[in-house]
Amino acid sequence: MAISSIIQILLAPIILSKLDYELYGLWCVLSVILVIGAYGDQGLGDSLIRHIAISHVKKDSDSLQEYFFTSLFMAVGIGLACIIIIFLLTNFLIGLLNIPKYYFTLSRLLLNCLSFILFIYLISIVFEATITGIGRIDIKNYFFILGRILQFVFTAVLLYLNYGIWALFFGQLISKALVFFICFGYLKLTNTITFIKIGSVNIIKAREIVVMGSGMIVSRFLQLGLQPLLRIVISRYTGLENVSFF
C-alpha cells in the first residue's frame, strides 16, 4: 500500500543518518524472514476472509467461530514451527548470508527475535482477516495505517535515542503488537468472536482453508518476485553494505 512506501521514504534518511550502510544492510537481509508473513497473509488470510464472509452473510456464528479458531490454531502452529526452525538453523542461515564474523552474535540474537515478530504477524493475520470478512475492511485499513504510523514514530524516536539497529526491531515489534491487541479488542467488543468459548480445530474447515490458500500462496510468490532472493544473493556475494542500496 502507498502508506508503506511513504513510511519507508520518510524513515530512510533517518535510518541512514543513524546507522552505517553495513548495519542497515544486515537488517535488510535478516528481515527477509518476515516475507513468510506475507505468504501467510495471502494464503491463510485471504482464504479465511472468504470463509468468514460466507458465514457472516449466512449469520452462521458457529461456523464463523470454527473458521476463526481453526485458522488461529493453524497460525500458532506455523508460527511456533518457524521459531523452532529458525533457532535450529540460525548458524546455517548466517553462514549462507556470508555475514562478517564481528556481526555473528548480533545476527544470532536479531534473527531469533525477528522470528518472534513473525509469530505475532501470523496470528494478527487471523484477526485482521476476520475483521475484513465481516465487512469492516474500513476498520482493518484504519488499523493498518495506525500500525505503520506507530512503526514510524517508535522507530524514529528510538533511532534518535541511539538504539541503533534495535530501533528497527522494536519499531516493528511494538507496532505489530499494539495493532494485534487493538484487533483483539475490536472483535471482543463487537461480540464477533466469543473468546470465552474457545473452539477446537475443525479438520474439514482447515482443509478448505488450505486448499484455497495454497493457490494464493503461489500467486503471492509470483507477486513478490525475486526481491527477497536477490537480497540474500547480494549479501552473500557482494557484502552487507550493498544490500542497503538495493
Side-chain angles (χ1 to χ4, degrees), residues 42-43 47 209-222:
Q42 191 77 16
S47 178
I209 293 169
V210 170
V211 169
M212 177 175 289
S214 58
M216 294 179 176
I217 289 176
V218 174
S219 173
R220 185 62 169 172
F221 179 79
L222 295 175

Side-chain angles (χ1 to χ4, degrees), residues 60-71:
D60 188 347
S61 59
D62 290 337
S63 179
L64 193 151
Q65 286 269 134
E66 289 180 343
Y67 276 118
F68 174 83
F69 283 109
T70 297
S71 298

Side-chain angles (χ1 to χ4, degrees), residues 36-37 39-41 43-44 70-86 115 118-120 122-123 125-126 209-210 217:
I36 298 173
Y39 292 135
D41 192 14
L44 179 61
T70 297
S71 298
L72 183 60
F73 286 132
M74 290 170 64
V76 169
I78 295 170
L80 290 175
C82 288
I83 289 175
I84 294 171
I85 291 170
I86 291 170
S115 69
L118 176 60
F119 179 76
I120 297 175
L122 289 169
I123 294 175
I125 287 171
V126 176
I209 293 169
V210 170
I217 289 176

Side-chain angles (χ1 to χ4, degrees), residues 9-99:
I9 292 171
L10 293 174
L11 271 179
I14 302 174
I15 293 172
L16 294 177
S17 69
K18 295 294 182 179
L19 300 178
D20 59 42
Y21 293 122
E22 192 173 51
L23 203 54
Y24 182 48
L26 177 65
W27 167 262
C28 291
V29 75
L30 292 181
S31 60
V32 162
I33 69 167
L34 297 179
V35 170
I36 298 173
Y39 292 135
D41 192 14
Q42 191 77 16
L44 179 61
D46 285 4
S47 178
L48 180 59
I49 288 172
R50 180 181 182 278
H51 293 298
I52 289 288
I54 293 173
S55 298
H56 181 66
V57 169
K58 293 181 177 179
K59 301 186 185 302
D60 188 347
S61 59
D62 290 337
S63 179
L64 193 151
Q65 286 269 134
E66 289 180 343
Y67 276 118
F68 174 83
F69 283 109
T70 297
S71 298
L72 183 60
F73 286 132
M74 290 170 64
V76 169
I78 295 170
L80 290 175
C82 288
I83 289 175
I84 294 171
I85 291 170
I86 291 170
F87 175 77
L88 294 175
L89 297 181
T90 297
N91 291 333
F92 168 76
L93 293 173
I94 292 174
L96 177 67
L97 298 171
N98 196 27
I99 293 174

Side-chain angles (χ1 to χ4, degrees), residues 134-149:
I134 62 174
R136 297 314 308 264
I137 191 172
D138 56 329
I139 296 294
K140 185 260 186 183
N141 287 336
Y142 292 148
F143 291 164
F144 175 85
I145 294 172
L146 175 63
R148 291 299 179 269
I149 293 174

